[in-house]
Amino acid sequence: MPTRLLVLRNRLRPAFCIAVAVAALMAGVVCVFAPAALTLWLGAPWPPLHARCVGAMALSLAVALLLARRELDPAVLRMPLLALAAWCLSAAAVSWLGSGAATPWSVGAAVLGLLSGLFAHIDSDPPAPAQHADRAWRAFALLALLLALLLMPWPGRVTSAWPWRLSAPFKAQYAPLFLAWGQAAWFVARERRRYVRAPVLWGLLVWAVGVLLASVWHAAAFDRNNPLAWLWFASFAALAKRAPRSQPAPAACSCTPGELNSWLNARRSSSCSSASTARLS
């Protein structure tokens, strides 16, 4: 990629993250607190429990992006942006598989996913893999990715099992949610720097707590004799319990001196490159 395009991408990344976070925050608030308003917006009624679960996902991504935006290291934005890209691209695929044709909504989601993937590429700071991957987060990631594949609306197959009564098109909408946080959890399991993992962990916590609160509010929709209902509550409770335990200590330094020096050198070279490009233009 030419130098000027790299500089432009680096300059637009913070504004892109803030715009997407604000939009996700607004969508999440509407889904959680006014699910009936979705009928006027989408033209089709959404089940309240389903709308609130999707709203919790939107709020979790907004929290992850806003927290990552606060850090000075641009590498912190990588995992939230990749989660956003996975959600949008898989949502576009679900829409295409379900309807058999591209719709304006699916095209917009695909474009947003591609832009998120483009901004997620950080040239100055590659991932820092841990010496030993976190087994708990890796197991959660594999389970979430497996559920995403099972819930995808492949031609000729409909998923019948679900914790509560829900039609097949709405069940398929959970595939992008599990795919987004599943691949984010995979990166969390392999990332050594705690401050890089922190925004994603807070996002996972918001998602788990939001889904649990929505499920408790709509407890009448669940069948107590259905084992999947108990598995649903237990899984999100375990996720809500695990995420805070993986958070970094507030006063602890989460990087080595060598990593700090490499980051400072990368920031200096990026600033020099931006300044020289500005003078040439």
Side-chain angles (χ1 to χ4, degrees):
M1 184 179 294
T3 305
R4 291 189 177 182
L5 292 180
L6 288 174
V7 173
L8 179 63
R9 184 192 63 183
N10 294 336
R11 288 180 177 177
L12 292 179
R13 185 186 291 116
F16 176 81
C17 293
I18 293 176
V20 173
V22 171
L25 186 63
M26 295 173 61
V29 169
V30 172
C31 290
V32 171
F33 297 102
L38 293 176
T39 303
L40 301 176
W41 182 29
L42 300 175
W46 272 34
L49 175 55
H50 173 69
R52 289 188 165 100
C53 289
V54 175
M57 175 65 181
L59 291 176
S60 65
L61 271 178
V63 168
L65 285 171
L66 291 176
L67 290 178
R69 178 64 186 87
R70 294 176 55 190
E71 297 289 343
L72 295 177
D73 191 349
V76 185
L77 291 168
R78 180 185 292 112
M79 284 192 283
L81 286 174
L82 287 177
L84 176 63
W87 187 18
C88 293
L89 291 175
S90 56
V94 165
S95 177
W96 180 76
L97 289 173
S99 61
T103 61
W105 185 91
S106 63
V107 173
V111 171
L112 181 58
L114 292 175
L115 287 176
S116 302
L118 176 65
F119 285 116
H121 183 66
I122 311 295
D123 303 298
S124 60
D125 199 347
Q131 185 176 4
H132 300 287
D134 191 311
R135 294 182 178 179
W137 284 117
R138 188 164 55 181
F140 169 77
L142 292 176
L143 178 60
L145 294 175
L146 177 61
L147 289 174
L149 292 176
L150 292 176
L151 291 172
M152 288 291 287
W154 306 113
R157 190 193 63 81
V158 178
T159 302
S160 58
W162 198 251
W164 70 89
R165 186 175 298 178
L166 194 65
S167 60
F170 289 117
K171 293 177 186 177
Q173 293 179 9
Y174 285 87
L177 276 64
F178 287 123
L179 180 63
W181 281 131
Q183 64 89 22
W186 182 264
F187 285 113
V188 165
R190 298 182 58 83
E191 176 62 49
R192 180 174 70 250
R193 296 164 296 183
R194 291 186 175 184
Y195 73 95
V196 175
R197 301 200 312 259
V200 172
L201 292 174
W202 281 114
L204 285 167
L205 178 62
V206 170
W207 182 44
V209 172
V211 170
L212 280 176
L213 292 177
S215 301
V216 171
W217 183 264
H218 297 277
F222 293 88
D223 182 8
R224 294 184 179 181
N225 297 323
N226 186 357
L228 292 178
W230 295 100
L231 182 61
W232 175 271
F233 281 93
S235 300
F236 282 99
L239 178 60
K241 184 179 180 181
R242 174 67 181 174
R245 292 186 175 185
S246 302
Q247 297 292 347
C253 180
S254 56
C255 59
T256 63
E259 292 174 348
L260 181 60
N261 289 332
S262 63
W263 177 79
L264 290 174
N265 292 332
R267 295 287 293 183
R268 293 192 190 99
S269 61
S270 177
S271 301
C272 294
S273 176
S274 301
S276 60
T277 305
R279 286 195 296 269
L280 290 175
S281 60

